[in-house]
Amino acid sequence: MESKQSQVLNLERVQELETWLKTTNTKLTQVNGQRKYGGPPEVWDGPMPGTRCEVFISQIPRDAYEDLLIPLFTSVGPLWEFRLMMNFSGQNRGFAYAKYGSPALATDAIRLLNGHMLEPGFRLSVRRSTEKRHLCVGELPASTRQEDLLQVLRLMADGVERVSLKAGPGIDGVSAIVAFSSHHAASMAKKVLVEAFKKQFSLTVSIKWQSTVKASEGEPLPPSKPSKFVLPSPLKPPRHILNSPRPSALPPRLARPPSIPPGFCRAVGRPTAPQHHHPSRSTPVQGPQGPPAPSVSPVVQLCKVCPMELLCKVCEASGVGQPLFEMYFSHTGPDGFLYFTYKVSIPGIPTAFKGLVMILPGPSESTMLEEARRVAAQQVLQSVCNKQVAH
């Protein structure tokens, strides 16, 4: 019973936060499971912080928000950035990051606020953030070239600064050490790169932190994938942002077909022809009268055309009718990904295709829904192609 009560949103505290945001004109932005202030704030005057300027804050009461935390940590010195990790329920996840303009201010925050009693029974834990900025990308093809990989990574993730390759005994293929401009950029890349390499090149790589430093105590473990799901109500995107603007650009770079270096395409066995042709839905499709020949790899097909367009072409050429998409928002994972369930009905196929996809948040409902449909179409297309090959 206590566990359930701890998950109930304190609406009074939420109202206090909203009032504070209005009266102070403070702007917060939701980005991938965290709510961010600054980076820098509008009132910032000074250079961008370097290393050892960030502190990790844990043991935060679940109904404590920025109206309590930002003034407290600002009392030590001006904040460059404050990031509070959030659940879809509207509660915080019990930890946050505060970044100052200098290592000295971060040291003062640890000295003055570690053990501070924010609420009765809750003493904050404040210590230096590790700010790991290097990832190790493993299991790359032996023919991978450093300059090609650097260009590919910069298309897939933000903040990539440099890449160094390593190979030798005990290393399967080639590994790369990737340096990022910030810990946040490296964290975001760690979440998307495995899936990005699968989508773009059908290449399975490993991603891990390049550091011997143990994770800070109190930091949550990586989330586990859901084992089951139930079709919920139709799409209602999460409303995390409180009195804050939506981001102006699409966060997932995977939603845009990048210009991949031919050298890297050859290294992973991917076609090197330009991948920019996306025909309109209204364009007539000239295809064979029977089912498409299964001699072409589904991976090659996916590389050439947008999955939704290709699925429509395959269905039209097979004479089974056009697919009908039903998309439902399911939940937001602890890692910030949005999960959607889908049901795709094709008139000539008796059984509908059902599944679960995950995407990064977008600037609008239509953008997120379109990206979820695209990923669902890719899954359905793979299933259709596999069935044709089996027959």
Side-chain angles (χ1 to χ4, degrees), residues 119-317:
E119 293 181 5
F122 289 91
R123 292 188 179 274
L124 297 179
S125 172
V126 183
R127 50 191 175 277
R128 190 86 60 179
S129 172
T130 56
E131 293 190 272
K132 294 176 286 187
R133 301 188 182 193
H134 294 78
L135 294 178
C136 178
V137 182
E139 302 176 54
L140 293 165
S143 55
T144 300
R145 294 175 41 175
Q146 181 171 311
E147 57 270 26
D148 290 338
L149 179 60
L150 177 61
Q151 186 175 345
V152 166
L153 289 170
R154 283 177 171 169
L155 290 167
M156 291 179 171
D158 291 316
V160 178
E161 290 189 336
R162 58 187 180 278
V163 172
S164 60
L165 298 182
K166 62 178 183 177
I171 298 178
D172 186 11
V174 170
S175 292
I177 306 302
V178 187
F180 289 83
S181 58
S182 67
H183 173 72
H184 176 64
S187 296
M188 294 299 101
K190 188 174 184 288
K191 294 175 182 178
V192 302
L193 284 180
V194 171
E195 187 66 21
F197 276 98
K198 283 182 181 178
K199 285 183 178 180
Q200 295 291 343
F201 307 108
S202 295
L203 181 66
T204 300
V205 300
S206 61
I207 308 286
K208 61 183 181 181
W209 289 109
Q210 181 63 23
S211 174
T212 56
V213 180
K214 293 183 179 180
S216 299
E217 182 181 349
E219 220 170 332
L221 295 173
S224 57
K225 293 184 178 180
S227 57
K228 62 180 180 178
F229 59 90
V230 180
L231 284 175
S233 57
L235 172 68
K236 290 183 179 179
R239 300 181 62 84
H240 294 306
I241 303 175
L242 293 173
N243 194 33
S244 62
R246 292 185 178 270
S248 59
L250 279 173
R253 287 175 176 254
L254 306 185
R256 310 191 292 272
S259 176
I260 303 298
F264 193 79
C265 290
R266 287 191 293 270
V268 299
R270 183 179 187 266
T272 58
Q275 313 294 328
H276 305 299
H277 180 57
H278 292 269
S280 168
R281 285 282 178 88
S282 61
T283 304
V285 178
Q286 301 297 330
Q289 297 302 313
S295 58
V296 180
S297 165
V299 174
V300 175
Q301 291 177 324
L302 291 176
C303 290
K304 291 183 177 179
V305 186
C306 169
M308 292 185 66
E309 296 290 345
L310 185 53
L311 179 60
C312 291
K313 285 186 176 183
V314 169
C315 290
E316 182 174 344

